[in-house]
Amino acid sequence: MKKNYQRKTCLFAILLLLLVFTSFYPLVNADNDEYAYIGGEIVGFEADIGGALVTSSQNFDSGEWSVKPIFLPGDVIKSINGCRVYRVDDIAEILNGDDFPENNIAEVEFLRGGNIFCERITAGYGKNDNKRVLGVTAKDCVCGLGTMTFVRGDGSFAALGHAISDYDTGFNLFSRGGKIVEATVSGIDKSGRGAPGTIKGYLCSKRIGMIEKSGKFGIIGRITQSEPREEYKAKLGGKKDVGIGSAKICSCISGKKEFYDIKIVKAFSQRDSAEKSMIIRVSDKRLLDYTGGIVQGMSGSPIIQNGIIVGAVTHVFTNDPTMGYGVYADWQR
């Protein structure tokens, strides 16, 4: 009888432990889901190129000789005679430094089409100030308007959803550094068939965050001045949460944060990160009346389905601006 009592006591203890474990385990894992604040804000970005992006080049004089341009629009000058080029001003400083070779030979390392090249170039002289030049015009950052997708509780954010492309050269930016600033929307050029519209606005001087990386799926970084509202907090999901059917996008394009109805009409099965994850159609009459559909500057607008942030708007169909592509939120982080 004593053995039966001990056996029952042991079984009871095991059942009690199992009960405690199974009731506690869901609580331990309930917070495994990641949450973030829904974006939609129109922001300005100034993304560093990580060198000097050539926008144009021309013949220039080097002594008695006319030197033909070596650089092409879209080239990124990375260094001159081993000295790193970060800003356009660095070119003039290096060329006209006291230690620049007397033979005026500059060994220039530059990026073209994703490959690094090195050329020995004879520096010329400017006609007005007699300072050494390479015969190029260049820029060291790309600016524009885009939309915030989500902001985590620690201030880290994702925006834009697609690569930054320089308007002058078509150069796609894959670099680090830059800043996010406040932006003012001054108007909307509505989209029409064959003519996608755009958000008109300008960048303000107030910095609200830093860019850590510009890449294929937009920009990521950290907000330094932001007070997200708790009611806009949602689960941060991705491709596993996407289904064909009704959804919403969030945008501040009207001047305030609003949610607009869309349909997800196709979701692609992407095993690896890739652009154009899904096809969406704007169905909200308010947005259609205001913008004609998707317009440039709305890239990054969060897509929410069943209360979950599943992705962001990225592209508009030229022949039908009520439709466009979105990217899964997985690829933005």
Side-chain angles (χ1 to χ4, degrees), residues 139-201:
K139 63 173 70 172
D140 47 40
C141 73
V142 178
C143 305
L145 296 176
T147 301
M148 193 71 68
T149 305
F150 59 80
V151 181
R152 296 184 179 91
D154 63 358
S156 59
F157 73 84
L160 206 58
H162 62 67
I164 295 173
S165 182
D166 176 59
Y167 178 81
D168 296 318
T169 63
F171 173 77
N172 285 335
L173 184 63
F174 299 94
S175 188
R176 297 181 181 275
K179 60 184 178 180
I180 297 292
V181 298
E182 287 187 349
T184 297
V185 176
S186 58
I188 303 292
D189 282 336
K190 291 182 66 172
S191 284
R193 190 172 294 275
T198 186
I199 296 174
K200 296 188 295 184

Side-chain angles (χ1 to χ4, degrees), residues 237-271:
K239 63 176 182 176
K240 64 180 175 56
D241 304 296
V242 175
I244 305 304
S246 298
K248 293 182 181 294
I249 60 173
C250 183
S251 177
C252 296
I253 197 168
S254 68
K256 61 181 180 179
K257 205 179 190 88
E258 294 192 78
F259 293 84
Y260 301 99
D261 293 327
I262 66 166
K263 297 278 188 183
I264 298 175
V265 298
K266 189 174 182 62
F268 298 100
S269 178
Q270 296 177 327
R271 297 177 64 88

Side-chain angles (χ1 to χ4, degrees), residues 29-35 235-236 240:
N29 288 274
D31 293 332
N32 282 352
D33 291 334
E34 186 177 7
Y35 286 81
K235 180 182 172 182
L236 183 55
K240 64 180 175 56

Side-chain angles (χ1 to χ4, degrees), residues 11-312:
L11 287 172
F12 177 77
I14 292 172
L15 288 171
L16 183 62
L17 285 171
L18 287 172
L19 180 64
V20 170
F21 180 79
T22 54
S23 62
F24 177 69
Y25 186 79
L27 292 176
V28 171
N29 288 274
D31 293 332
N32 282 352
D33 291 334
E34 186 177 7
Y35 286 81
Y37 296 98
I38 299 170
E41 294 82 7
I42 312 293
V43 297
F45 59 84
E46 298 178 16
D48 293 342
I49 292 171
L53 175 65
V54 176
T55 56
S56 67
S57 60
Q58 58 277 328
N59 291 350
F60 63 93
D61 295 330
S62 179
E64 299 178 358
W65 304 96
S66 179
V67 180
K68 291 184 177 181
I70 291 176
F71 301 106
L72 301 175
D75 290 346
V76 179
I77 297 172
K78 305 292 285 186
S79 70
I80 300 174
N81 290 348
C83 298
R84 189 74 168 85
V85 173
Y86 295 99
R87 303 290 179 190
V88 171
D89 291 345
D90 294 339
I91 296 175
E93 290 181 10
I94 296 169
L95 293 179
N96 295 284
D98 294 336
D99 56 350
F100 194 80
E102 292 183 2
N103 61 4
N104 285 345
I105 297 297
E107 190 168 288
V108 184
E109 186 181 66
F110 60 96
L111 183 71
R112 176 182 291 171
N115 298 309
I116 290 289
F117 295 88
C118 192
E119 291 280 356
R120 289 172 61 84
I121 300 167
T122 301
Y125 288 90
K127 294 180 179 179
N128 297 324
D129 52 17
N130 203 37
K131 290 186 176 181
R132 296 186 187 96
V133 296
L134 287 182
V136 300
T137 56
K139 63 173 70 172
D140 47 40
C141 73
V142 178
C143 305
L145 296 176
T147 301
M148 193 71 68
T149 305
F150 59 80
V151 181
R152 296 184 179 91
D154 63 358
S156 59
F157 73 84
L160 206 58
H162 62 67
I164 295 173
S165 182
D166 176 59
Y167 178 81
D168 296 318
T169 63
F171 173 77
N172 285 335
L173 184 63
F174 299 94
S175 188
R176 297 181 181 275
K179 60 184 178 180
I180 297 292
V181 298
E182 287 187 349
T184 297
V185 176
S186 58
I188 303 292
D189 282 336
K190 291 182 66 172
S191 284
R193 190 172 294 275
T198 186
I199 296 174
K200 296 188 295 184
Y202 54 90
L203 281 60
C204 302
S205 60
K206 184 178 180 181
R207 187 179 70 185
I208 57 176
M210 301 299 296
I211 296 173
E212 295 175 355
K213 182 181 178 182
S214 304
K216 185 176 181 180
F217 303 105
I219 52 182
I220 58 174
R222 191 167 297 274
I223 292 294
T224 55
Q225 297 183 21
S226 178
E227 295 181 0
R229 291 167 57 178
E230 195 68 23
E231 64 263 36
Y232 294 122
K233 195 172 184 180
K235 180 182 172 182
L236 183 55
K239 63 176 182 176
K240 64 180 175 56
D241 304 296
V242 175
I244 305 304
S246 298
K248 293 182 181 294
I249 60 173
C250 183
S251 177
C252 296
I253 197 168
S254 68
K256 61 181 180 179
K257 205 179 190 88
E258 294 192 78
F259 293 84
Y260 301 99
D261 293 327
I262 66 166
K263 297 278 188 183
I264 298 175
V265 298
K266 189 174 182 62
F268 298 100
S269 178
Q270 296 177 327
R271 297 177 64 88
D272 300 309
S273 58
E275 296 177 290
K276 300 178 180 179
S277 306
M278 51 186 144
I279 297 175
I280 64 172
R281 177 187 289 115
V282 176
S283 56
D284 197 297
K285 189 176 185 301
R286 295 172 302 154
L287 188 59
L288 293 173
D289 288 344
Y290 188 54
T291 65
I294 300 168
V295 296
Q296 296 176 41
M298 286 179 65
S299 295
S301 298
I303 300 171
I304 301 100
Q305 190 174 49
N306 298 322
I308 302 171
I309 304 169
V310 297

